[in-house]
Amino acid sequence: MITEWLSPVIGWMSPAWQYLVVHVLLTLVIMMPIIVSVAYLTLAERKVIGYMHVRIGPNRVGPRGLFQPFADVFKLMFKEVITPTVANKFIFYLAPILILVAALVAWAVIPFDDGWVLADINAGLLYVLAIGAAGVYGVILAGWASNSKYALLGGMRSAAHKVAYELAMGFALVGVLMASGSLNLSEIVRGQEGSILHWYWLPLLPMFVVYFVSGVAETNRAPFDISEGESEIVAGFHVEYSGMAFALFMLAEYASMILISALAAVMFLGGWLSPFQGTFLEPVFAFVPGIVWFLVKISFLLFVFIWFRATFPRFRYDQIMRLGWKVFIPVTILWIAVEGVFHYFQVGPWF
Amino acid sequence: MSLYQILFYVFASVAVIAAIRVVTVRNPVHAALFLVLTFFSTALVWVLMEAEFLGIVLLLVYVGAVMVLFLFVVMMLDVNIAPLREGFIKNLPVGVFVALVMIVELALILGPASFGLDIYPPPEPAAAQTGNTLAIGQVLYTKFVYPFEIAAFILLVAIVAAIALAHRRRPGVHYQDIDAQVRVRATDRVRIARFDDDKTRRGDIAGDSNANQDEKKP
């Protein structure tokens, strides 16, 4: 479709080049909104936490503080990037890039609406998991390459807790796979057709909770931010980073928050589907395009992320490990067995 | 040369170069990272051969979990690099000999006589939309179910053995019972005493001793 639309401009190229140009453009179409959302998510976080703490939050730059993200970005861009003298330079600068790449490339398989997906591959779910696994390295390498005690401690903590929560996350996705019978994310959304009760959050409620909480842990967000732990280990893995290198870590953290929310929305909350499908309200909301529902769901989950941060104190390290290994993994394994029973008896509209 | 071939040679050469660097690089953390790069390139070669399930699982298991734990240990140990390099020249002839024997053995088995293109023609590219995951699942749980289950059982035994080796109660070590910590309520820790005037204060002290006795009873 886009190829035809652009044909006056790129029609003279060979098909392979047209494919390349169109896909680079589509990538930009996905990337740019994400980068802007990241900027405004930082503002939203500060504002929401501010109001939860009965303060106002940033309100100086622009009307009601709306230009605050730009002020932050320009400040970080013009700050000096300092490399510690005995740091491993190559890995020191590789680490933030790795984290950012992992947070952005997974978007290739996210379906924004019916058919609105960059790469409609049939192993999308596995791809997302594998990319998430590769993202673990950024934090560990940043911690090691900085050649600083606090940074190394942060990297260590992160390595240990990410392996635990990655497993729980993987098992939660096995649950989704069992319900939908497909690894393709668009197919998973189509499997949830029907009203809000047909979405997988209902039969997979424990999986949904495990997935989302593991997602909070994977993105190093409070209350699981032990790898930053500013009250114990200063700023953990990114204590030695400044300026733009630090900004990349921030960018990656918020981009992966949006990614986890998008994945949870696709797998448990029906992606682009309207919650009123099949009810008397369906014609009333028929004018709303699918992507709006998808964005509403993402925004809600992002609000929950911020809500968590404002509400819970940081977990202790051993409590995090216990929750991951002794609570989440047994719960998911048990629920996979329960799902097997559901599947055998064809329970509800889901199986 | 088609794009497919170019990609294959790029991934394959990166895999081979990275594998060589794993054993030649000085720093153990760098060696672990080169091993990650080897796994990554190998996974890409597999995906190129339409084995996308195996490729992604290789990334997931080895890059995502095994190598993270490897790195964890290597970073923790703070290995002194110099002793690791000692004896490289001394052991080099043995290493070269073992490598040569392995290469010869592999060449005997995998040579054109037994695996040539005339004996094993390249498989037809799979028709679009047939998932490699589905195909593997269908044979793994039907035709190969016993080998699969036995392999799983052996791994389970290995896990149990590893835990049994490491798991022992040592005397004099304090363990935290997190379940008890989580279950604790404010009333277990704090008793709110109310002091209104002198009379009740005296009564309260009396009550205090009673309360202590009550606690001792059960």
Side-chain angles (χ1 to χ4, degrees):
Chain A
M1 186 190 84
I2 293 154
T3 319
E4 288 161 23
W5 187 58
L6 285 175
S7 62
V9 190
I10 57 167
W12 53 273
M13 295 174 178
S14 70
W17 279 101
Q18 284 188 10
Y19 181 87
L20 191 69
V21 168
V22 166
H23 278 76
V24 167
L25 286 178
L26 284 177
T27 313
L28 284 178
V29 167
I30 296 175
M31 277 311 99
M32 285 301 144
I34 290 173
I35 307 275
V36 174
S37 319
V38 164
Y40 274 92
L41 185 57
T42 57
L43 178 66
E45 175 170 38
R46 293 171 67 181
K47 275 287 191 188
V48 168
I49 292 183
Y51 283 117
M52 283 180 177
H53 291 170
V54 203
R55 331 178 248 115
I56 296 172
N59 65 344
R60 294 287 111 181
V61 192
R64 303 181 75 82
L66 275 178
F67 298 142
Q68 183 69 40
F70 296 102
D72 290 342
V73 166
F74 285 122
K75 182 195 79 177
L76 285 171
M77 271 164 71
F78 291 113
K79 276 179 108 170
E80 186 186 357
V81 178
I82 298 166
T83 318
T85 40
V86 277
N88 193 313
K89 274 208 185 66
F90 179 72
I91 296 180
F92 186 75
Y93 289 114
L94 181 72
I97 297 170
L98 261 184
I99 294 193
L100 188 63
V101 166
L104 292 180
V105 289
W107 284 93
V109 294
I110 303 280
F112 293 90
D113 200 341
D114 205 354
W116 289 22
V117 49
L118 185 63
D120 201 13
I121 58 175
N122 56 18
L125 205 58
L126 282 173
Y127 169 81
V128 166
L129 262 181
I131 295 299
V136 179
Y137 283 90
V139 174
I140 304 174
L141 292 182
W144 180 77
S146 302
N147 201 12
S148 145
K149 283 193 184 89
Y150 294 127
L152 186 65
L153 280 174
M156 289 296 169
R157 288 176 169 200
S158 151
H161 97 257
K162 283 202 171 175
V163 168
Y165 284 84
E166 196 116 314
L167 277 175
M169 233 171 166
F171 277 123
L173 297 191
V174 169
V176 175
L177 170 64
M178 281 178 73
S180 66
S182 171
L183 284 170
N184 180 308
L185 292 178
S186 305
E187 286 300 320
I188 290 174
V189 174
R190 281 188 206 106
Q192 306 177 50
E193 291 266 350
S195 70
I196 191 166
L197 297 178
H198 289 66
W199 299 348
Y200 291 145
W201 67 271
L202 194 56
L204 306 182
L205 193 60
M207 298 292 201
F208 179 38
V209 173
V210 167
Y211 180 81
F212 193 68
V213 177
S214 306
V216 176
E218 285 280 294
T219 46
N220 284 324
R221 293 282 304 174
F224 296 98
D225 55 346
I226 44 161
S227 55
E228 272 179 54
E230 71 277 346
S231 53
E232 310 134 39
I233 49 171
V234 196
F237 63 97
H238 58 51
V239 65
E240 301 290 347
Y241 287 85
S242 62
M244 229 23 225
F246 173 73
L248 288 186
F249 279 114
M250 279 288 123
L251 189 60
E253 179 180 326
Y254 286 88
S256 39
M257 268 166 76
I258 304 177
L259 177 71
I260 294 287
S261 305
L263 283 170
V266 162
M267 291 184 292
F268 298 100
L269 299 179
W272 67 76
L273 299 173
S274 155
F276 305 115
Q277 211 179 15
T279 63
F280 70 98
L281 280 171
E282 192 183 356
V284 181
F285 285 98
F287 69 94
V288 181
I291 188 166
V292 172
W293 290 121
F294 187 52
L295 295 180
V296 166
K297 288 164 191 173
I298 293 181
S299 312
F300 169 71
L301 291 173
L302 285 174
F303 178 76
V304 177
F305 261 98
I306 296 167
W307 194 3
F308 277 177
R309 181 170 168 191
T311 313
F312 295 119
R314 185 179 297 126
F315 267 112
R316 217 169 53 205
Y317 179 76
D318 62 320
Q319 290 170 332
I320 287 190
M321 290 318 247
R322 177 181 166 273
L323 184 71
W325 290 106
K326 292 190 183 169
V327 180
F328 278 2
I329 293 178
V331 162
T332 46
I333 291 177
L334 179 76
W335 203 254
I336 285 174
V338 172
E339 258 186 82
V341 176
F342 281 1
H343 205 282
Y344 186 76
F345 291 107
Q346 303 280 323
V347 176
W350 311 291
F351 292 97
Chain B
M1 215 157 48
S2 68
L3 182 67
Y4 181 92
Q5 280 168 316
I6 295 172
L7 286 177
F8 173 80
Y9 283 116
V10 168
F11 296 151
S13 47
V14 169
V16 171
I17 292 168
I20 292 170
R21 293 298 284 158
V22 172
V23 287
T24 52
V25 83
R26 283 170 180 275
N27 191 320
V29 172
H30 289 184
L33 289 178
F34 273 115
L35 194 53
V36 171
L37 184 60
T38 313
F39 283 137
F40 200 78
S41 328
T42 315
L44 288 176
V45 170
W46 288 3
V47 171
L48 212 56
M49 292 172 172
E50 296 182 352
E52 76 270 5
F53 178 75
L54 290 179
I56 292 175
V57 167
L58 179 73
L59 277 189
L60 202 57
V61 175
Y62 281 91
V63 175
V66 174
M67 288 313 294
V68 171
L69 294 178
F70 243 82
L71 266 181
F72 187 84
V73 174
V74 169
M75 286 176 183
M76 282 280 258
L77 288 180
D78 192 20
V79 188
N80 193 0
I81 300 163
L84 278 183
R85 304 290 301 170
E86 280 171 9
F88 184 77
I89 300 297
K90 196 181 76 185
N91 294 324
L92 190 63
V94 183
V96 168
F97 176 71
V98 172
L100 274 179
V101 168
M102 283 168 73
I103 288 172
V104 168
E105 282 177 351
L106 285 175
L108 286 176
I109 292 292
L110 300 176
S114 46
F115 274 94
L117 280 180
D118 46 337
I119 301 167
Y120 280 100
E124 292 288 313
Q129 298 301 321
T130 55
N132 176 258
T133 317
L134 186 70
I136 288 181
Q138 272 168 350
V139 291
L140 206 56
Y141 285 98
T142 53
K143 199 175 166 188
F144 298 109
V145 66
Y146 288 124
F148 183 59
E149 295 289 334
I150 290 168
F153 190 75
I154 292 171
L155 286 175
L156 184 68
V157 169
I159 294 170
V160 171
I163 292 173
L165 278 177
H167 185 81
R168 59 198 161 108
R169 284 260 163 191
R170 273 159 292 184
V173 179
H174 293 288
Y175 291 95
Q176 282 177 333
D177 186 359
I178 297 184
D179 290 315
Q181 289 180 346
V182 169
R183 257 186 279 117
V184 85
R185 290 289 165 267
T187 48
D188 303 340
R189 291 281 189 270
V190 188
R191 199 174 58 81
I192 306 292
R194 199 182 298 271
F195 298 106
D196 288 338
D197 51 34
D198 282 351
K199 274 183 186 173
T200 48
R201 187 176 295 163
R202 242 177 267 127
D204 212 79
I205 293 165
D208 195 5
S209 59
N210 281 339
N212 279 341
Q213 282 169 358
D214 283 345
E215 273 172 26
K216 280 170 193 167
K217 266 178 197 167

